[in-house]
Amino acid sequence: MENKKRFYITTPIYYPSDKLHIGHTYCTVATDAMARYKRLQGYDVLFLTGTDEHGQKIEDKAKEAGVSPKEFVDRIVEGPQGVKDLWKLMNISNDRFIRTTDDYHVAAIQKIFKKMYENGDIYKGKYVGKYCKPCESFWTESQLVDGKCPDCGREVQDAEEEAYFFRLSKYADRVQHLLEDTDFLEPRSRVNEMVNNFIKPGLEDLCVSRTSFTWGVPVDFDPGHVVYVWVDALFNYTTALGFLNDKYDDYEKFWPADVHFVGKEIVRFHSIIWPAMLMSMDMPLPKKVFGHGWLLLDGGKMSKSKGNVVDPYLLAQRFGVDALRFFLLRTFPFGSDGNFSNEALINTINVDLANDLGNLLSRTVSMVGKYFGGTLPETQAEDAGKDAELVELISNLRARYEEQMERYAFQNALNEIFKVIDRANKYIDENTPWVLAKDMEANGPRLARVMYNLLEALRVCAVLLPPFIPQSAAEVLRQIGACEDCQTWESAGVYGSLRKDVTVQRGENLFPRIDMDKELTALEEIAAQAKKAALPALEVEPQLEEKVDFDTFCKSDFRAVKVKACENVKKSEKLLKFTLDDGTGTDRQILSGIAKWYKPEELVGKTLMAIVNLPPRKMMGQESNGMLISAVHTEHGEEKLNLLSLDDKIPAGAKMC
Ligand code: MSP
């Protein structure tokens, strides 16, 4: 065991700010495929995933939900249909799961931060720049695209505060060399992007602490500062091995990582900031960062805020986990973007899994049953002319597959497998077993060899398929009667490992064909229902049947009013007293029963709409001259009120008509 070759692979650690979607699932499934492939080859694999739980976004979301940040992330990480549940469902074989709120990680991050401070690579300064809250990223003015975040295109905020900085600029040359002169970052196209967009314009020092929120790892030697979430997050790859902590003892064994799989928008963090910080810490660099493409929906990125996320739970439930895993890696080249659609998913299942693989298996097993009672005879007759091509393809498959897997080209590796499956299906038609079976005495040995070759084709494919479809591949091996020795990586490189007198076991149809039209309609219906369920339960008052004549309505005098002052009315829980500029030069007082929804101070300065020609009314001993206009509805049984507010450009006294 100790002498086994080692392989350490990681996924990004996910933000538990919302439920994960199919885009997140894509990266983890790919990492799982790689980890399973390396285990199959005999490596001692460590596959790490986890969650990145600090930062302002999480703090804000928790506040919105009315719970503490820890309670909030606990729910999304550990709760039903949470992150851990999803990986279990998708049959993800991670060996370890790190949460950045774990004590051992927090303590290690404090030590790491201090070490870089002590070696002079972290220093205190003042941060003036732009911050993208959803991405938790700082940007300089020159990095913005049209004044917006270059990653997500959203608005950025001005940021100015005392902060610690990491001397990223010091490492610019070394990082550029790493990117340009080694194959640290793949695909190569991402190298140009990093060098041209980030390094050549000049790498500025990076702001690595924040004081405007508290949900983060505290800088222990300077209370009030929390460590920038990306510093906290990136070092997870080492703390999860036991770096500067006693929780694990695998750092020496597994660091440096063999590969970090990351989505393309976080390549910048992994290929520039991460190596620079490791250089500062004098730690070995990971061997590779692979930046994969995005799964798009209708050409755009999936995101909760756009409301276009695809739910992996729903797809796995309708099509099966293996079919979903297979689709993700079969359809899209890993390094490029790909467009997700239900049609593409169903089509892949029908063509590759139901038609090609599923049919080959069920036809072969049922023919062995029908012609030989389930067990092949040892006496078999080859026909070199007819067998050579298939046998050659089977014999070389492992090498061709390996070449592609080593390049993380999952789609190509599957192409190689499906070349054999297609060839085997064609081999059935060429050899017409049903014709041979008409004269078993003369053709029995030949028919037996035809069946054997089909079983061998299925075996080698099924030995190489577990990274993609772990459960179904095991079922193929069971149905074709593969012994343990002929399920190994070594045996996949050799034609003829299966016993000649193999006994097959008939089983369930692995991938039933899906009725495309019916399924698409069902999925559309589910999506419509989900959309409806996501809308707040609005209860709006019915419209009045009674009509008001036009002249009467025109007598109502609606005006823009500016709030000069606002306060609670003593002894009243409901009333707010407004002093308003109504454009006449004399202040107007209006009382309004909205204290339940608004604090007086948040309304000062606002431009509102009021009806100003109502007769005066006395409330709690004070006079009210008019009424402020609000929108009222009921949500989940609770009354909601929103004052109608106007653009501040509208002057006080402007008439509404
Ligand atoms: N927390 C950081 C990673 C820190 S790693 C030290 C983060 N988290 S994330 O939850 O926003 O994203 C995790 C991964 O999911 C990223 O690699 C991201 O690219 C990937 N994906 C999110 N949506 C995706 C698609 N639609 N398609 C493919 N991958 C996508 O970033």
Side-chain angles (χ1 to χ4, degrees), residues 11-17 20-28 50-53 57 100 134-135 229-237 261-267 269-270 274 292-297 300-303 337-338:
T11 70
I13 49 173
Y14 294 83
Y15 287 125
S17 53
L20 299 190
H21 56 67
I22 193 79
H24 301 114
T25 311
Y26 178 51
C27 181
T28 308
T51 40
D52 178 7
E53 305 187 358
K57 187 161 65 176
T100 55
C135 295
V229 68
W230 270 99
V231 176
D232 168 8
L234 285 162
F235 275 98
N236 92 86
Y237 300 131
F261 276 0
V262 302
K264 65 177 185 179
E265 86 283 19
I266 59 172
V267 163
F269 298 94
H270 284 82
W274 182 220
H292 65 78
W294 281 345
L295 219 54
L296 306 174
L297 195 71
K301 197 183 179 204
M302 284 178 207
S303 81
D337 290 348

